[in-house]
Short mmCIF file of all heavy atoms in Angstrom, two decimals:
data_model
loop_
_atom_site.label_atom_id
_atom_site.label_comp_id
_atom_site.label_asym_id
_atom_site.label_seq_id
_atom_site.Cartn_x
_atom_site.Cartn_y
_atom_site.Cartn_z
N GLY A 1 -0.50 -15.51 -7.10
CA GLY A 1 -0.78 -15.66 -5.70
C GLY A 1 -0.50 -14.40 -4.83
O GLY A 1 -0.60 -14.42 -3.59
N VAL A 2 -0.12 -13.33 -5.49
CA VAL A 2 0.24 -12.08 -4.78
C VAL A 2 -1.00 -11.48 -4.07
O VAL A 2 -0.90 -11.18 -2.87
CB VAL A 2 0.91 -11.06 -5.75
CG1 VAL A 2 1.10 -9.74 -5.06
CG2 VAL A 2 2.14 -11.56 -6.33
N LEU A 3 -2.03 -11.32 -4.78
CA LEU A 3 -3.27 -10.71 -4.20
C LEU A 3 -3.91 -11.55 -3.09
O LEU A 3 -4.37 -11.08 -2.08
CB LEU A 3 -4.26 -10.34 -5.28
CG LEU A 3 -3.78 -9.33 -6.33
CD1 LEU A 3 -4.82 -9.12 -7.38
CD2 LEU A 3 -3.31 -8.06 -5.69
N ALA A 4 -3.88 -12.88 -3.34
CA ALA A 4 -4.37 -13.81 -2.33
C ALA A 4 -3.45 -13.73 -1.09
O ALA A 4 -4.00 -13.86 0.07
CB ALA A 4 -4.46 -15.20 -2.87
N GLY A 5 -2.20 -13.57 -1.27
CA GLY A 5 -1.26 -13.40 -0.14
C GLY A 5 -1.55 -12.16 0.65
O GLY A 5 -1.50 -12.22 1.86
N PHE A 6 -1.87 -11.06 -0.01
CA PHE A 6 -2.23 -9.85 0.65
C PHE A 6 -3.51 -10.04 1.46
O PHE A 6 -3.65 -9.53 2.59
CB PHE A 6 -2.36 -8.65 -0.31
CG PHE A 6 -1.15 -7.96 -0.67
CD1 PHE A 6 -0.52 -8.07 -1.89
CD2 PHE A 6 -0.52 -7.19 0.38
CE1 PHE A 6 0.63 -7.37 -2.16
CE2 PHE A 6 0.71 -6.50 0.04
CZ PHE A 6 1.24 -6.63 -1.24
N ALA A 7 -4.47 -10.72 0.83
CA ALA A 7 -5.72 -11.01 1.48
C ALA A 7 -5.58 -11.85 2.76
O ALA A 7 -6.13 -11.55 3.82
CB ALA A 7 -6.72 -11.69 0.56
N GLU A 8 -4.73 -12.84 2.72
CA GLU A 8 -4.38 -13.70 3.87
C GLU A 8 -3.70 -12.82 4.92
O GLU A 8 -3.96 -12.97 6.14
CB GLU A 8 -3.57 -14.87 3.53
CG GLU A 8 -4.29 -15.93 2.68
CD GLU A 8 -3.48 -17.08 2.23
OE1 GLU A 8 -2.29 -17.14 2.62
OE2 GLU A 8 -3.99 -17.86 1.41
N TYR A 9 -2.73 -12.04 4.55
CA TYR A 9 -1.95 -11.20 5.46
C TYR A 9 -2.84 -10.23 6.22
O TYR A 9 -2.70 -10.04 7.40
CB TYR A 9 -0.85 -10.47 4.73
CG TYR A 9 0.08 -9.67 5.61
CD1 TYR A 9 1.08 -10.31 6.26
CD2 TYR A 9 -0.10 -8.31 5.75
CE1 TYR A 9 1.96 -9.59 7.13
CE2 TYR A 9 0.76 -7.56 6.56
CZ TYR A 9 1.77 -8.23 7.26
OH TYR A 9 2.61 -7.51 8.10
N PHE A 10 -3.78 -9.56 5.49
CA PHE A 10 -4.62 -8.59 6.15
C PHE A 10 -5.96 -9.18 6.64
O PHE A 10 -6.80 -8.42 7.11
CB PHE A 10 -4.87 -7.42 5.23
CG PHE A 10 -3.65 -6.57 4.93
CD1 PHE A 10 -3.08 -6.55 3.66
CD2 PHE A 10 -3.13 -5.81 5.93
CE1 PHE A 10 -1.93 -5.77 3.48
CE2 PHE A 10 -1.96 -5.03 5.73
CZ PHE A 10 -1.37 -5.06 4.46
N SER A 11 -6.16 -10.46 6.50
CA SER A 11 -7.38 -11.15 6.91
C SER A 11 -8.61 -10.52 6.30
O SER A 11 -9.59 -10.26 7.02
CB SER A 11 -7.49 -11.19 8.42
OG SER A 11 -6.32 -11.81 8.98
N VAL A 12 -8.60 -10.35 5.01
CA VAL A 12 -9.81 -9.88 4.27
C VAL A 12 -10.04 -10.81 3.15
O VAL A 12 -9.28 -11.64 2.78
CB VAL A 12 -9.61 -8.42 3.70
CG1 VAL A 12 -9.46 -7.45 4.84
CG2 VAL A 12 -8.45 -8.35 2.80
N ASP A 13 -11.25 -10.72 2.56
CA ASP A 13 -11.71 -11.60 1.48
C ASP A 13 -10.80 -11.29 0.29
O ASP A 13 -10.61 -10.15 -0.12
CB ASP A 13 -13.15 -11.33 1.17
CG ASP A 13 -13.69 -12.31 0.18
OD1 ASP A 13 -13.18 -13.41 0.08
OD2 ASP A 13 -14.75 -11.91 -0.52
N VAL A 14 -10.42 -12.37 -0.39
CA VAL A 14 -9.53 -12.24 -1.58
C VAL A 14 -10.24 -11.54 -2.71
O VAL A 14 -9.61 -10.81 -3.48
CB VAL A 14 -8.99 -13.64 -1.97
CG1 VAL A 14 -10.06 -14.57 -2.49
CG2 VAL A 14 -7.86 -13.52 -2.98
N ILE A 15 -11.53 -11.73 -2.84
CA ILE A 15 -12.34 -11.04 -3.92
C ILE A 15 -12.23 -9.58 -3.73
O ILE A 15 -12.07 -8.84 -4.68
CB ILE A 15 -13.78 -11.55 -3.90
CG1 ILE A 15 -13.90 -13.05 -4.17
CG2 ILE A 15 -14.60 -10.79 -4.93
CD1 ILE A 15 -13.39 -13.50 -5.49
N LEU A 16 -12.35 -9.08 -2.53
CA LEU A 16 -12.29 -7.65 -2.18
C LEU A 16 -10.89 -7.11 -2.62
O LEU A 16 -10.82 -6.07 -3.25
CB LEU A 16 -12.56 -7.41 -0.73
CG LEU A 16 -12.45 -5.94 -0.31
CD1 LEU A 16 -13.54 -5.12 -0.93
CD2 LEU A 16 -12.52 -5.88 1.22
N VAL A 17 -9.87 -7.84 -2.34
CA VAL A 17 -8.51 -7.33 -2.69
C VAL A 17 -8.36 -7.28 -4.15
O VAL A 17 -7.81 -6.38 -4.76
CB VAL A 17 -7.43 -8.29 -2.02
CG1 VAL A 17 -6.06 -7.94 -2.54
CG2 VAL A 17 -7.53 -8.15 -0.50
N ARG A 18 -8.88 -8.37 -4.89
CA ARG A 18 -8.76 -8.40 -6.37
C ARG A 18 -9.56 -7.26 -7.00
O ARG A 18 -9.08 -6.64 -7.95
CB ARG A 18 -9.17 -9.73 -6.85
CG ARG A 18 -8.25 -10.86 -6.50
CD ARG A 18 -8.72 -12.21 -6.91
NE ARG A 18 -7.73 -13.21 -6.63
CZ ARG A 18 -7.95 -14.46 -6.38
NH1 ARG A 18 -9.22 -14.90 -6.36
NH2 ARG A 18 -6.95 -15.30 -6.03
N VAL A 19 -10.74 -6.99 -6.46
CA VAL A 19 -11.60 -5.88 -7.04
C VAL A 19 -10.87 -4.55 -6.82
O VAL A 19 -10.78 -3.73 -7.76
CB VAL A 19 -13.00 -5.90 -6.44
CG1 VAL A 19 -13.76 -4.64 -6.79
CG2 VAL A 19 -13.72 -7.12 -6.91
N ILE A 20 -10.34 -4.34 -5.64
CA ILE A 20 -9.60 -3.06 -5.34
C ILE A 20 -8.42 -2.93 -6.25
O ILE A 20 -8.15 -1.86 -6.82
CB ILE A 20 -9.23 -3.01 -3.88
CG1 ILE A 20 -10.47 -2.82 -3.00
CG2 ILE A 20 -8.25 -1.84 -3.60
CD1 ILE A 20 -10.22 -2.93 -1.52
N TYR A 21 -7.67 -4.04 -6.48
CA TYR A 21 -6.51 -4.00 -7.33
C TYR A 21 -6.90 -3.64 -8.78
O TYR A 21 -6.22 -2.79 -9.44
CB TYR A 21 -5.76 -5.35 -7.32
CG TYR A 21 -4.72 -5.46 -8.33
CD1 TYR A 21 -3.46 -4.82 -8.18
CD2 TYR A 21 -4.92 -6.12 -9.54
CE1 TYR A 21 -2.48 -4.87 -9.18
CE2 TYR A 21 -3.97 -6.18 -10.52
CZ TYR A 21 -2.69 -5.57 -10.33
OH TYR A 21 -1.82 -5.59 -11.28
N VAL A 22 -7.94 -4.30 -9.28
CA VAL A 22 -8.40 -4.01 -10.67
C VAL A 22 -8.83 -2.56 -10.80
O VAL A 22 -8.53 -1.87 -11.77
CB VAL A 22 -9.51 -4.99 -11.04
CG1 VAL A 22 -10.19 -4.53 -12.35
CG2 VAL A 22 -9.00 -6.36 -11.18
N LEU A 23 -9.64 -2.05 -9.87
CA LEU A 23 -10.08 -0.67 -9.91
C LEU A 23 -8.88 0.30 -9.86
O LEU A 23 -8.84 1.27 -10.69
CB LEU A 23 -11.05 -0.37 -8.80
CG LEU A 23 -12.40 -1.05 -8.93
CD1 LEU A 23 -13.28 -0.79 -7.67
CD2 LEU A 23 -13.16 -0.58 -10.17
N LEU A 24 -7.98 0.04 -8.97
CA LEU A 24 -6.78 0.93 -8.92
C LEU A 24 -5.97 0.89 -10.19
O LEU A 24 -5.45 1.89 -10.66
CB LEU A 24 -5.92 0.56 -7.68
CG LEU A 24 -6.47 0.98 -6.33
CD1 LEU A 24 -5.50 0.41 -5.23
CD2 LEU A 24 -6.53 2.51 -6.21
N SER A 25 -5.81 -0.31 -10.75
CA SER A 25 -5.11 -0.41 -12.00
C SER A 25 -5.76 0.29 -13.16
O SER A 25 -5.13 0.88 -13.97
CB SER A 25 -4.92 -1.93 -12.33
OG SER A 25 -4.07 -2.58 -11.42
N LEU A 26 -7.07 0.16 -13.20
CA LEU A 26 -7.81 0.82 -14.30
C LEU A 26 -7.70 2.34 -14.22
O LEU A 26 -7.56 3.07 -15.15
CB LEU A 26 -9.27 0.40 -14.33
CG LEU A 26 -9.51 -1.01 -14.73
CD1 LEU A 26 -11.01 -1.33 -14.59
CD2 LEU A 26 -9.10 -1.21 -16.21
N PHE A 27 -7.84 2.86 -12.91
CA PHE A 27 -7.81 4.34 -12.78
C PHE A 27 -6.39 4.91 -12.77
O PHE A 27 -6.20 6.11 -12.89
CB PHE A 27 -8.49 4.73 -11.46
CG PHE A 27 -9.98 4.53 -11.56
CD1 PHE A 27 -10.62 3.67 -10.63
CD2 PHE A 27 -10.75 5.14 -12.49
CE1 PHE A 27 -12.00 3.50 -10.69
CE2 PHE A 27 -12.10 4.97 -12.59
CZ PHE A 27 -12.70 4.14 -11.67
N SER A 28 -5.39 4.04 -12.77
CA SER A 28 -4.00 4.52 -12.92
C SER A 28 -3.37 4.12 -14.24
O SER A 28 -2.22 3.99 -14.40
CB SER A 28 -3.12 4.03 -11.77
OG SER A 28 -3.01 2.61 -11.85
N ALA A 29 -4.22 3.90 -15.22
CA ALA A 29 -3.88 3.57 -16.61
C ALA A 29 -3.26 2.15 -16.68
O ALA A 29 -2.62 1.83 -17.71
CB ALA A 29 -2.93 4.60 -17.19
N GLY A 30 -3.47 1.27 -15.69
CA GLY A 30 -3.05 -0.10 -15.81
C GLY A 30 -1.61 -0.45 -15.61
O GLY A 30 -1.29 -1.38 -14.91
N PHE A 31 -0.71 0.29 -16.19
CA PHE A 31 0.69 -0.03 -16.23
C PHE A 31 1.27 -0.04 -14.82
O PHE A 31 1.95 -1.05 -14.46
CB PHE A 31 1.49 0.88 -17.11
CG PHE A 31 2.94 0.56 -17.19
CD1 PHE A 31 3.38 -0.57 -17.81
CD2 PHE A 31 3.86 1.41 -16.53
CE1 PHE A 31 4.72 -0.86 -17.83
CE2 PHE A 31 5.21 1.07 -16.52
CZ PHE A 31 5.61 -0.05 -17.22
N PRO A 32 1.09 1.01 -13.98
CA PRO A 32 1.68 0.91 -12.65
C PRO A 32 1.18 -0.27 -11.81
O PRO A 32 1.96 -0.89 -11.11
CB PRO A 32 1.30 2.22 -11.97
CG PRO A 32 0.99 3.12 -13.11
CD PRO A 32 0.47 2.28 -14.17
N GLY A 33 -0.08 -0.63 -11.95
CA GLY A 33 -0.59 -1.74 -11.21
C GLY A 33 0.02 -3.10 -11.67
O GLY A 33 0.41 -3.93 -10.89
N LEU A 34 0.24 -3.23 -12.98
CA LEU A 34 0.89 -4.44 -13.48
C LEU A 34 2.33 -4.52 -13.09
O LEU A 34 2.86 -5.55 -12.72
CB LEU A 34 0.72 -4.45 -15.02
CG LEU A 34 1.33 -5.67 -15.72
CD1 LEU A 34 0.67 -6.97 -15.24
CD2 LEU A 34 1.20 -5.52 -17.20
N LEU A 35 3.03 -3.38 -13.15
CA LEU A 35 4.40 -3.31 -12.71
C LEU A 35 4.55 -3.63 -11.25
O LEU A 35 5.44 -4.40 -10.86
CB LEU A 35 5.01 -1.91 -13.04
CG LEU A 35 6.51 -1.79 -12.75
CD1 LEU A 35 7.26 -2.73 -13.61
CD2 LEU A 35 6.89 -0.34 -13.02
N VAL A 36 3.73 -3.11 -10.40
CA VAL A 36 3.78 -3.43 -8.93
C VAL A 36 3.54 -4.90 -8.70
O VAL A 36 4.13 -5.53 -7.90
CB VAL A 36 2.77 -2.47 -8.16
CG1 VAL A 36 2.63 -2.97 -6.75
CG2 VAL A 36 3.26 -1.10 -8.23
N TYR A 37 2.53 -5.43 -9.40
CA TYR A 37 2.19 -6.88 -9.26
C TYR A 37 3.37 -7.74 -9.63
O TYR A 37 3.74 -8.68 -8.88
CB TYR A 37 0.99 -7.25 -10.13
CG TYR A 37 0.49 -8.68 -9.86
CD1 TYR A 37 -0.53 -8.89 -8.95
CD2 TYR A 37 1.13 -9.73 -10.56
CE1 TYR A 37 -0.92 -10.21 -8.69
CE2 TYR A 37 0.67 -11.02 -10.25
CZ TYR A 37 -0.35 -11.23 -9.34
OH TYR A 37 -0.80 -12.51 -9.06
N ILE A 38 4.08 -7.44 -10.71
CA ILE A 38 5.20 -8.23 -11.15
C ILE A 38 6.34 -8.11 -10.13
O ILE A 38 7.03 -9.10 -9.80
CB ILE A 38 5.67 -7.82 -12.52
CG1 ILE A 38 4.62 -8.22 -13.59
CG2 ILE A 38 7.03 -8.39 -12.91
CD1 ILE A 38 4.86 -7.65 -14.96
N ILE A 39 6.57 -6.90 -9.57
CA ILE A 39 7.67 -6.71 -8.54
C ILE A 39 7.27 -7.55 -7.34
O ILE A 39 8.19 -8.30 -6.80
CB ILE A 39 7.77 -5.22 -8.25
CG1 ILE A 39 8.41 -4.51 -9.43
CG2 ILE A 39 8.63 -5.07 -7.02
CD1 ILE A 39 8.44 -3.01 -9.30
N PHE A 40 6.03 -7.45 -6.86
CA PHE A 40 5.70 -8.25 -5.66
C PHE A 40 5.75 -9.75 -5.97
O PHE A 40 6.14 -10.51 -5.11
CB PHE A 40 4.30 -7.84 -5.11
CG PHE A 40 4.30 -6.75 -4.22
CD1 PHE A 40 3.83 -5.49 -4.60
CD2 PHE A 40 4.76 -6.94 -2.90
CE1 PHE A 40 3.86 -4.44 -3.68
CE2 PHE A 40 4.74 -5.85 -2.01
CZ PHE A 40 4.34 -4.63 -2.41
N TRP A 41 5.41 -10.17 -7.16
CA TRP A 41 5.51 -11.60 -7.52
C TRP A 41 6.97 -12.03 -7.47
O TRP A 41 7.26 -13.16 -7.03
CB TRP A 41 4.93 -11.78 -8.90
CG TRP A 41 5.03 -13.28 -9.38
CD1 TRP A 41 4.31 -14.31 -8.96
CD2 TRP A 41 6.00 -13.73 -10.32
NE1 TRP A 41 4.71 -15.41 -9.57
CE2 TRP A 41 5.76 -15.08 -10.46
CE3 TRP A 41 6.98 -13.14 -11.05
CZ2 TRP A 41 6.50 -15.86 -11.32
CZ3 TRP A 41 7.77 -13.93 -11.91
CH2 TRP A 41 7.51 -15.28 -11.96
N ALA A 42 7.86 -11.22 -7.89
CA ALA A 42 9.27 -11.63 -7.94
C ALA A 42 9.91 -11.52 -6.56
O ALA A 42 10.80 -12.37 -6.23
CB ALA A 42 10.09 -10.68 -8.89
N VAL A 43 9.46 -10.63 -5.71
CA VAL A 43 10.11 -10.43 -4.43
C VAL A 43 9.49 -11.23 -3.30
O VAL A 43 10.22 -11.69 -2.39
CB VAL A 43 10.04 -8.93 -4.03
CG1 VAL A 43 10.56 -8.63 -2.66
CG2 VAL A 43 10.81 -8.08 -5.04
N THR A 44 8.16 -11.49 -3.31
CA THR A 44 7.56 -12.17 -2.23
C THR A 44 7.70 -13.67 -2.37
O THR A 44 7.42 -14.23 -3.41
CB THR A 44 6.00 -11.85 -2.23
OG1 THR A 44 5.85 -10.43 -2.32
CG2 THR A 44 5.28 -12.38 -1.04
N PRO A 45 8.15 -14.32 -1.26
CA PRO A 45 8.38 -15.81 -1.34
C PRO A 45 7.01 -16.51 -1.35
O PRO A 45 6.02 -16.01 -0.83
CB PRO A 45 9.13 -16.10 -0.08
CG PRO A 45 8.82 -15.01 0.87
CD PRO A 45 8.54 -13.81 -0.03
N GLU A 46 6.97 -17.76 -1.91
CA GLU A 46 5.74 -18.49 -1.91
C GLU A 46 5.59 -19.14 -0.51
O GLU A 46 6.60 -19.48 0.17
CB GLU A 46 5.81 -19.62 -2.97
CG GLU A 46 4.51 -20.31 -3.18
CD GLU A 46 4.46 -21.12 -4.42
OE1 GLU A 46 5.47 -21.20 -5.14
OE2 GLU A 46 3.44 -21.70 -4.64
N LYS A 47 4.35 -19.29 -0.10
CA LYS A 47 4.01 -19.82 1.23
C LYS A 47 4.54 -21.23 1.32
O LYS A 47 4.32 -22.06 0.43
CB LYS A 47 2.55 -19.81 1.38
CG LYS A 47 2.04 -20.13 2.78
CD LYS A 47 0.56 -19.94 2.88
CE LYS A 47 0.04 -20.14 4.24
NZ LYS A 47 -1.42 -19.91 4.29
#
C-alpha cells in the first residue's frame, strides 16, 4: 500500500506512481527501489 499511499497523498493516479516506481527501480538496478519500498512500508502507518 506504499505506492497507493503516495498517489493519494499527491492526488495523482496510482498507476502513474507505480509505473514511475518500476522505471526508477529498473534504471537504478532494482535494489535501491526495493530497499526504499521496504523502509517506507515499515515506517509509514496504515490508513
Side-chain angles (χ1 to χ4, degrees):
V2 174
L3 299 177
F6 274 111
E8 290 174 7
Y9 184 80
F10 291 112
S11 300
V12 295
D13 187 24
V14 68
I15 299 296
L16 179 65
V17 173
R18 289 176 178 153
V19 167
I20 290 171
Y21 171 77
V22 167
L23 290 174
L24 286 174
S25 292
L26 288 175
F27 290 121
S28 65
F31 180 72
L34 182 61
L35 184 62
V36 168
Y37 188 93
I38 291 170
I39 290 170
F40 272 106
W41 177 77
V43 173
T44 308
E46 190 164 3
K47 188 175 187 179

